[in-house]
Amino acid sequence: MEFQLKDNLLLGAAAAATQIEGGDQNNNWYDWYRQGYIKDDADPSVATEHWERWREDLALMREIGIQCYRMGVEWSRVEPADGFFDEKAIARYREEIQALRDAGIPVLLTLHHFSNPLWLEERGGFSVRDNITYYLRYVRKMVECLGDLVSEYVTINEPNVYAFNGYFEGTWPPGRKSFLEMSRVMTNMAAAHIEAYGLIRKTRLQMGFGDTRVGFANHLRVFAPKDQENPLHRFWASRVEQLFQGSLTRAMCMGRTAFPIGKHPSIVPGRYCDFLGVNYYTRSTVSGPADGVAEGRPVNDLGWEIYPEGIEAVCRKMYELVQRPIYITENGVCDNTDAFRARYIAEHLKVLCESGLPVERYYHWCFCDNWEWVEGNAARFGLVHVDYESQRRTVKRSGRFYQRVIEERGVSEALWREFCAYPTDGEET
Ligand code: BGC
């Protein structure tokens, strides 16, 4: 196990506002918590108190040598009421982004990451077509206020996960269970992305900046048939892939519509990504319409299969649609005791580096352990451990490993042995 990073690949970390900030009570997720839907009852309005402790987190990023940072704006914080923008909150984001820049850490800014202001949620969020105008108003305002500091934007994070969990499975806010609504939300989000793509580029151009890059963070999985020989399993694998991610990817990148994405005047053929944002975690193994996990394979602490080869497969598939630089906008693992995170990182990076694909960024999910939506604080994905009682941060062993990979621009045999090898490696199984 040995590999070198390509010269233009930057290693960074990712975060989402709602999962770290604390103090956000004016959104759909705080409301979901209040209704008792968070497994360990952890309060998102505490999270990791990043809003107060951002300087401490930045100091840790510098210590580890993080080269780029994907962070989000909490819409409900900057626009707490319809049309009212909180200039103080925006100024605070400016301060943080400026400090990151001064530290040599460019920001990729996420404008929507699962969280809606309550006033919007009450009007139906993205299930209502006309509400896209609210999103675009907010996007324009953010670019006008932060656009001199930020050239790269994620319009929407994981529209498929948002639509599926919130409108089909009903486990996320607003708890709906309707295929039709899910498909409407996906369609509206594709339209919102396409419109935001043009708007962000235009707004920055008017501000005198021509170097804008806009994309979205696409949650992609490999869908494999449980039994490769079984035609029904093969049918469901490709069908579920299409329903969950395939059609939406085409709509958002290329303006093409196919079931379950409906027609919308803004979804017209074109190219709507300056980079291909890929969030990759796992492979699903299916024998029918339901999700499943392969037997006898390594899994993370949430039971998701660890399948490093998949990161190349999903990137290649998206790259075949639109040839743009690839940003791994998320990749990471729930590993509560930090037993296999270093190995997970090494294995995924190796696949990427040897793929021949133009991968320019790798944002590890995530920097500090954070509030993991319905899982609460119990699912740890961070390079840095957070003790939620004291809010004390401690760099994990995997964080130190990541630091060394950044310093050494790759993984040597010695580094692999020190951080990633298991005592049983090499033994017959
Ligand atoms: C989301 C993150 C989340 C992570 C791990 C992604 O689906 O964008 O917000 O924490 O996966 O579950």
Side-chain angles (χ1 to χ4, degrees):
M1 178 66 165
E2 220 171 0
F3 65 93
Q4 284 298 304
L5 300 182
K6 285 187 305 146
D7 288 345
N8 63 347
L9 172 62
L10 299 183
L11 298 194
T18 322
Q19 293 181 268
I20 60 172
E21 285 184 355
D24 300 322
Q25 294 194 337
N26 195 18
N27 62 39
N28 53 340
W29 276 98
Y30 184 73
D31 189 51
W32 203 238
Y33 155 74
R34 272 198 323 107
Q35 292 184 54
Y37 290 121
I38 308 306
K39 290 183 189 165
D40 65 356
D41 206 32
D43 182 347
S45 77
V46 178
T48 70
E49 296 180 358
H50 176 81
W51 192 253
E52 308 298 333
R53 294 171 184 270
W54 66 271
R55 285 191 183 79
E56 192 184 337
D57 290 339
L58 174 54
L60 284 172
M61 277 183 218
R62 298 184 70 157
E63 187 180 318
I64 291 178
I66 292 298
Q67 297 177 301
C68 51
Y69 183 44
R70 176 180 167 218
M71 61 174 269
V73 172
E74 175 65 36
W75 185 358
S76 65
R77 189 188 278 278
V78 296
E79 192 182 358
D82 176 8
F84 168 74
F85 287 96
D86 183 339
E87 300 294 339
K88 255 176 78 184
I90 298 172
R92 153 65 184 73
Y93 280 118
R94 276 192 71 84
E95 196 186 356
E96 181 177 357
I97 295 169
Q98 183 65 57
L100 281 154
R101 279 170 58 108
D102 293 346
I105 304 174
V107 164
L108 170 63
L109 196 68
T110 306
L111 296 164
H112 187 273
H113 196 132
F114 301 154
S115 160
N116 293 330
L118 270 183
W119 60 264
L120 181 79
E121 191 77 350
E122 280 155 13
R123 290 173 202 184
F126 282 89
S127 71
V128 175
R129 187 188 272 201
D130 287 349
N131 288 349
I132 295 174
T133 52
Y134 296 123
Y135 169 72
L136 295 172
R137 178 180 65 188
Y138 150 74
V139 168
R140 182 198 301 273
K141 175 75 177 172
M142 288 309 102
V143 179
E144 282 168 358
C145 292
L146 305 171
D148 58 325
L149 302 177
V150 181
S151 60
E152 301 191 327
Y153 297 84
V154 165
T155 54
I156 297 177
N157 180 72
E158 300 191 345
N160 55 347
V161 172
Y162 173 88
F164 181 86
N165 292 354
Y167 290 85
F168 181 65
E169 207 184 46
T171 49
W172 283 19
R176 312 283 305 168
K177 291 184 182 172
S178 149
F179 188 86
L180 218 70
E181 275 196 81
M182 177 190 81
S183 116
R184 199 182 314 137
V185 170
M186 284 184 172
T187 304
N188 288 341
M189 283 193 141
H193 162 73
I194 288 174
E195 294 198 31
Y197 175 80
L199 176 64
I200 296 169
R201 294 176 58 92
K202 192 175 103 202
T203 308
R204 278 196 93 242
L205 210 56
Q206 285 165 351
M207 294 165 79
F209 303 106
D211 59 345
T212 311
R213 278 185 172 188
V214 183
F216 68 106
N218 198 7
H219 179 102
L220 291 174
R221 291 190 201 168
V222 172
F223 285 92
K226 186 170 178 197
D227 174 2
Q228 183 61 45
E229 305 303 315
N230 186 324
L232 211 62
H233 293 194
R234 288 205 304 272
F235 166 80
W236 278 115
S238 79
R239 194 74 177 151
V240 176
E241 198 271 347
Q242 176 205 347
L243 295 175
F244 182 68
Q245 65 193 28
S247 296
L248 188 58
T249 303
R250 277 190 182 72
M252 296 190 66
C253 295
M254 311 160 76
R256 305 253 173 220
T257 55
F259 186 73
I261 309 301
K263 299 276 177 224
H264 185 288
S266 302
I267 310 181
V268 291
R271 290 288 179 272
Y272 304 109
C273 287
D274 302 315
F275 60 84
L276 305 179
V278 173
N279 292 2
Y280 175 78
Y281 289 89
T282 190
R283 167 169 75 170
S284 290
T285 298
V286 298
S287 53
D291 199 8
V293 180
E295 280 159 28
R297 293 272 315 164
V299 292
N300 76 11
D301 289 349
L302 290 172
W304 308 351
E305 184 188 347
I306 297 175
Y307 182 60
E309 300 89 319
I311 200 167
E312 176 180 351
V314 296
C315 287
R316 193 171 297 286
K317 209 160 175 186
M318 199 168 168
Y319 188 72
E320 276 163 9
L321 297 179
V322 192
Q323 290 72 51
R324 296 287 185 271
I326 294 169
Y327 289 11
I328 303 302
T329 34
E330 288 180 29
N331 174 239
V333 68
C334 178
D335 173 10
N336 293 326
T337 55
D338 202 39
F340 46 84
R341 180 170 292 101
R343 187 180 179 118
Y344 181 100
I345 295 171
E347 288 178 339
H348 285 75
L349 277 178
K350 181 172 197 284
V351 169
L352 286 171
C353 290
E354 293 175 354
S355 69
L357 291 164
V359 184
E360 294 188 7
R361 305 269 202 287
Y362 175 87
Y363 296 92
H364 186 72
W365 185 272
C366 48
F367 189 63
C368 285
D369 290 334
N370 64 27
W371 186 80
E372 178 56 37
W373 311 110
V374 286
E375 303 295 333
N377 290 341
R380 294 179 181 272
F381 279 80
L383 295 165
V384 175
H385 181 270
V386 174
D387 172 356
Y388 288 101
E389 287 290 305
S390 62
Q391 289 288 352
R392 191 159 171 266
R393 275 78 160 139
T394 313
V395 179
K396 298 179 189 178
R397 228 175 114 65
S398 57
R400 293 301 174 206
F401 169 72
Y402 202 51
Q403 178 173 355
R404 292 275 297 278
V405 178
I406 294 168
E407 278 164 13
E408 298 173 24
R409 296 293 303 159
V411 175
S412 62
E413 249 339 298
L415 194 61
W416 169 267
R417 257 185 276 116
E418 189 180 339
F419 286 92
C420 310
Y422 299 145
T424 52
D425 277 357
E427 284 174 14
E428 294 290 322
T429 47

